[in-house]
Amino acid sequence: MSETLDHTLAPIDTTGFDRPAHWVKHQNVAAEWSAVPQQTVIEIVTNGCLEDPERPILIVEDGPAMTRREFLCRCQGFAGYLKTFLKPGDRVVVMLDNRLEFMIALFGIIANRATLVSIPPTAQEFDAGHIVKDAAPVAAIFGKPQQAVINAVRGQSPALGHMIIVDGDEPDGLASYENAATPLDFKKAECRREDVITVYYTSGTTGAPKGCMLHHGWWLRVIDIDLRLFRRGWQDRQLCCLPFYYADPAIQLLTSLASRGTLIAMRRFSVSRFWDVVTTYDATEILSIASIPALLLKGEPGPAERDHRIRLAIHAGLPKELHQEMIDRYGFHWHNQYGSTEGGIMSRVPHHLADELVGTGTMGMEPPGVFIRLVDDNDVDVAPGEAGEALIAGPDLYVGYLNRPETTAEANRGGWYHSGDVARRDERGLLYFVGRKKEIIRRSGENISAAEVEAVLRSHPLVLEVAVVPVPDQLRGEEVKVYVQIKVGKTMADLPPEEIIDFCKARLAAFKIPRFIEYREEDFERTPSMRVLKQSLTKAKADLRSGAWDRETGTFGD
């Protein structure tokens, strides 16, 4: 009898919450769980590989392609090796670049009822050490480039006894382990739906990152929602341009397994290579996040942008100012989506309203089975059209935060997950993102969304990336500061601060116009989800006015 794992599913209650009849709805959506009748992720992997064994499941740009037969064989072989020392509930940290071995390790760990704890491959001793100490893993899987960091932080977990290095040519980096023991037949795996199978550490924009625990149910629910909202088949090839250490690539791989499709993976996102990868490997769908669309638009136009088979892109946080330009330039729809590690897919633009909603900025509507309330600081529902924190409910949300029961209880108070995101809903029930609750700047009593100001500035043709933060001010409480990274090959002379201010004045209310502007030459430090790590900006100097241009004086501060 396998031991019981020590965790509690987050309590979610939707009693008495009904959607008004006049709200829009997703159309032609099949019944819940019809796309994913399986009870564990390993069942999806097994069924998907055995159903069509010779079809490729994963192709890495400039790397190998792997059939479902080989993928399952390698996963089962590595799982057999892990079985010699893993027990249910054990945690294994994985610190790897975008290599096929990452996914082999993922499912090998899950099949043993253990938990993969993801560490960004670029992490250094401080951030990797925090994760290792907090997660207390018994094993580490890492590549040669990550070996020094893992060795340096190994002592943070007394239980860390197994060091597994991915070495050699892809996909043979784990071959010596795959062949070291009797393979674990995935059809005989004893996984349970409630097993915690992955831990992803949150961005940590306002404090130390927290380990978000996800069980089989979370993954099954996300895959089921995704496939019911957008049907896929054997002819579909999803493009993954995100790092494997984030959850989205594994979601894309599992939806491909469940629909007989193929996943095309980039080593890392690149504007210059993006469309060549799309056309070379015949991708049909794109998933993107953060500033990817804005960065693509900054690239030089080329014939590959229209010579493709893409029929849809799904993006989290689509910039409304760029939406129509994206469709005109690339020739397909980009659907805005709202989601999080804790809540999974929480809303998406309904497919039948795609044309009508271009450029509106809406995040769409909750899919069937997901519920969102907008509340004030006292958890009282706000009136229609007013902004409030988004509270999420539905089956199989995240389990909780690792080692933080009080934080989990606070986030889930009242039976609803408190997202920390501020949104509003229009008269049709469509949702609009306002900003992060902790990233709302209060200037002279007015609320300013950092995300709104950033979206406007990203639409400037010479702006590559921006970040907006508050600056303490004795008179107004807080002022708005923007960090600006200009497009490669351009300088401040091409985009002086006065032009930035004029650009904002034409598009924003007067109280939202930034007061301080600071130029950056290097890229911003980023979170695992590719968002700008604003904590690194606000802690870089004691006085955030220093070195910034001040709109009120027209000069740069000392």
Side-chain angles (χ1 to χ4, degrees), residues 11 308 352:
H308 55 69
H352 69 286

Side-chain angles (χ1 to χ4, degrees), residues 7 20 92 101 114 123 130 248 250 278 282 344 367 372 394 436 440 443 461 468 525 553:
H7 68 79
V92 180
E101 292 89 349
H130 167 73
D248 295 285
V278 166
D282 201 23
I372 297 179
R436 289 289 295 167
I440 297 295
R443 182 182 186 275
V468 170
E525 186 177 351
T553 65

Side-chain angles (χ1 to χ4, degrees), residues 28-192:
N28 302 316
V29 180
E32 291 180 64
W33 304 116
S34 59
V36 180
Q38 294 86 357
Q39 290 301 302
T40 71
V41 163
I42 294 302
E43 287 182 37
I44 293 179
V45 175
T46 307
N47 295 348
C49 289
L50 294 177
E51 180 183 41
D52 197 357
E54 301 311 318
R55 185 175 298 282
I57 180 54
L58 186 54
I59 302 172
V60 182
E61 65 155 329
D62 72 25
M66 187 170 286
T67 66
R68 285 161 157 76
R69 183 191 301 279
E70 182 183 359
F71 184 69
L72 180 60
C73 179
R74 287 181 179 272
C75 288
Q76 291 182 144
F78 187 60
Y81 165 75
L82 294 177
K83 189 175 178 62
T84 62
F85 62 86
L86 282 184
K87 64 181 183 298
D90 280 347
R91 288 185 280 273
V92 180
V93 292
V94 176
M95 190 177 183
L96 276 175
D97 295 305
N98 280 23
R99 293 179 56 130
L100 286 163
E101 292 89 349
F102 188 106
M103 297 301 179
I104 293 168
L106 169 65
F107 297 121
I109 292 167
I110 294 173
N112 281 283
R113 299 189 65 211
T115 304
L116 179 144
V117 179
S118 185
I119 300 181
T122 56
Q124 298 303 308
E125 287 186 32
F126 179 81
D127 38 358
H130 167 73
I131 294 175
V132 169
K133 182 178 181 179
D134 191 58
V138 302
I141 302 173
F142 52 93
K144 275 283 190 181
Q146 292 79 38
Q147 187 171 9
V149 171
I150 289 292
N151 286 338
V153 303
R154 182 176 184 177
Q156 299 284 348
S157 173
L160 182 49
H162 299 272
M163 305 285 278
I164 302 169
I165 186 164
V166 178
D167 192 18
D169 295 334
E170 185 182 29
D172 296 322
L174 290 172
S176 61
Y177 304 101
E178 294 167 10
N179 301 319
T182 302
L184 172 59
D185 186 348
F186 275 15
K187 289 183 290 185
K188 298 179 181 179
E190 298 180 354
C191 301
R192 300 178 183 177

Side-chain angles (χ1 to χ4, degrees), residues 492-547:
M492 188 176 69
D494 298 300
L495 185 61
E498 293 85 357
E499 183 175 329
I500 294 175
I501 297 302
D502 289 341
F503 188 81
C504 290
K505 284 181 178 179
R507 293 161 177 83
L508 293 168
F511 68 88
K512 300 178 183 178
I513 308 300
R515 175 174 171 182
F516 300 103
I517 298 174
E518 182 172 333
Y519 292 86
R520 286 179 61 90
E521 294 183 0
E522 312 85 20
D523 190 15
F524 293 91
E525 186 177 351
R526 296 181 182 273
T527 70
S529 55
M530 292 185 66
R531 296 184 179 92
V532 173
L533 185 61
K534 294 184 180 180
Q535 191 178 36
S536 67
L537 297 174
T538 56
K539 289 187 174 182
K541 58 183 74 173
D543 187 350
L544 293 179
R545 299 171 299 179
S546 175

